[in-house]
Amino acid sequence: MNTEKIHVETKMKAPRMLKKIYRVLKIRKHPHDVSCKICSLFHAQGQTLNTTTKLLACITVLAALSACDGQDARPNAAAMAAASGAYKTCAACHGATGLGNEVLQAPALVNLDQDYLERQIRHYREGVRGRHPDDRWGQQMSDQAALLADDNAISAVVAQIGEFPDAAPAVTIKADLDRGRDLYGSTCGACHGPNAEGIPVLGAPALRGIDDWYLVRQYRNFRDGIRGTHEDDTLGQQMQRMGQVLKTDQDIQAVSAWIASLDIDE
């Protein structure tokens, strides 16, 4: 990443926030790493920053990330700047209205059951999820969740996400839908419902409406012991055992593609 021009600007009596952003840009090479760290800075100091400084910060981030060599990922700085309330910390990666960003490996948050979403954010904050050394994206989420002071803060974020309109995710996986339906029925349906609508009493969230690529990644994480092994994650442990059922990546993709084909309004 070339930050020479930014170096000149930040040394010319730039606000303290811009100097902190410059240090982030110097040591972090991946755009998603940069955007998440800068979200943290906004969250920690947002109450003391004036509008001009915030605008300059966003411009600085965009300028630096546009110079990333060979990387297409870009944080949604505009979404971060536009978002308000408790959710603003999440917007740069997950979008202003929670639609997600596959390039940043940030799934859509709309369509998710609120109880499930609240539980997962709490698990990230408490280190129940996202601490495995092979879970790079989970580690970043764990860092972000740590910024939420308590359960009330988590509830405020989830409540705001709940106000966003549902939206069907884009289909990114082509697979045998008939095989996916059959495998889902024999493997997943007893807990997650025949149409992936979820069964709250079992703690099993709805799966329809979740990005297909994210379903694939999370099933692999359960299968490989990256997720669901913490002693305080009882439901995750159940999924970790179920993660051994689908034996091939083709089967995982088939199930995920079939779930993604379902109407979210059924």
Side-chain angles (χ1 to χ4, degrees):
M1 181 186 299
N2 181 2
T3 57
E4 277 188 62
K5 293 183 178 179
I6 297 172
H7 190 180
V8 173
E9 294 297 328
T10 55
K11 291 192 70 173
M12 295 176 62
K13 298 181 180 180
R16 182 178 301 176
M17 180 67 168
L18 296 186
K19 290 183 179 179
K20 288 188 176 185
I21 288 176
Y22 170 66
R23 287 197 293 270
V24 172
L25 294 171
K26 283 192 70 176
I27 64 175
R28 294 171 183 261
K29 296 183 181 299
H30 194 280
H32 188 261
D33 296 340
V34 172
S35 70
C36 287
K37 180 60 179 178
I38 291 173
C39 283
S40 301
L41 294 177
F42 269 111
H43 182 86
Q45 300 191 33
Q47 298 302 316
T48 62
L49 297 176
N50 61 37
T51 301
T52 300
T53 301
K54 289 180 180 179
L55 180 59
L56 286 171
C58 288
I59 293 172
T60 302
V61 173
L62 289 173
L65 292 173
S66 67
C68 288
D69 293 332
Q71 299 195 59
D72 293 326
R74 298 290 185 270
N76 194 339
M80 182 178 66
S84 61
Y87 178 75
K88 63 183 178 182
T89 304
C90 317
C93 297
H94 292 280
T97 56
L99 295 179
N101 187 332
E102 183 184 0
V103 175
L104 299 179
Q105 290 295 287
L109 301 178
V110 297
N111 310 324
L112 293 178
D113 290 337
Q114 292 198 344
D115 288 346
Y116 171 79
L117 185 55
E118 189 163 335
R119 182 170 73 242
Q120 294 309 308
I121 296 174
R122 189 167 60 250
H123 280 183
Y124 278 124
R125 189 191 66 191
E126 296 173 354
V128 175
R129 180 179 174 188
R131 293 300 189 186
H132 193 283
D134 293 334
D135 190 4
R136 172 187 178 184
W137 308 109
Q139 290 172 16
Q140 293 178 355
M141 259 304 302
S142 184
D143 291 342
Q144 292 302 301
L147 298 173
L148 300 173
D150 51 32
D151 286 349
N152 289 333
I154 293 176
S155 296
V157 170
V158 172
Q160 189 169 355
I161 293 171
E163 296 175 359
F164 299 149
D166 290 345
V171 175
T172 68
I173 296 173
K174 293 182 179 180
D176 185 339
L177 296 184
D178 290 337
R179 178 166 178 76
R181 180 194 60 227
D182 293 342
L183 286 170
Y184 176 89
S186 62
T187 304
C188 317
C191 292
H192 291 280
N195 292 301
E197 71 275 21
I199 301 180
V201 71
L202 299 179
L207 299 179
R208 65 187 184 197
I210 298 178
D211 294 297
D212 52 10
W213 55 266
Y214 185 73
L215 288 171
V216 169
R217 191 176 86 216
Q218 292 310 307
Y219 191 90
R220 288 172 178 166
N221 282 353
F222 282 121
R223 178 195 65 189
D224 298 339
I226 295 173
R227 180 180 174 187
T229 57
H230 194 282
E231 61 182 2
D232 293 332
D233 189 5
T234 304
L235 295 172
Q237 291 172 13
Q238 294 176 4
M239 264 305 303
Q240 202 274 330
R241 291 191 289 272
M242 293 304 298
Q244 312 309 310
V245 177
L246 299 180
K247 301 299 185 183
T248 68
D249 283 347
Q250 288 81 3
D251 286 348
I252 296 171
Q253 290 176 348
V255 171
S256 300
W258 180 77
I259 293 171
S261 73
L262 297 173
D263 188 340
I264 63 172
D265 295 322
E266 283 185 359

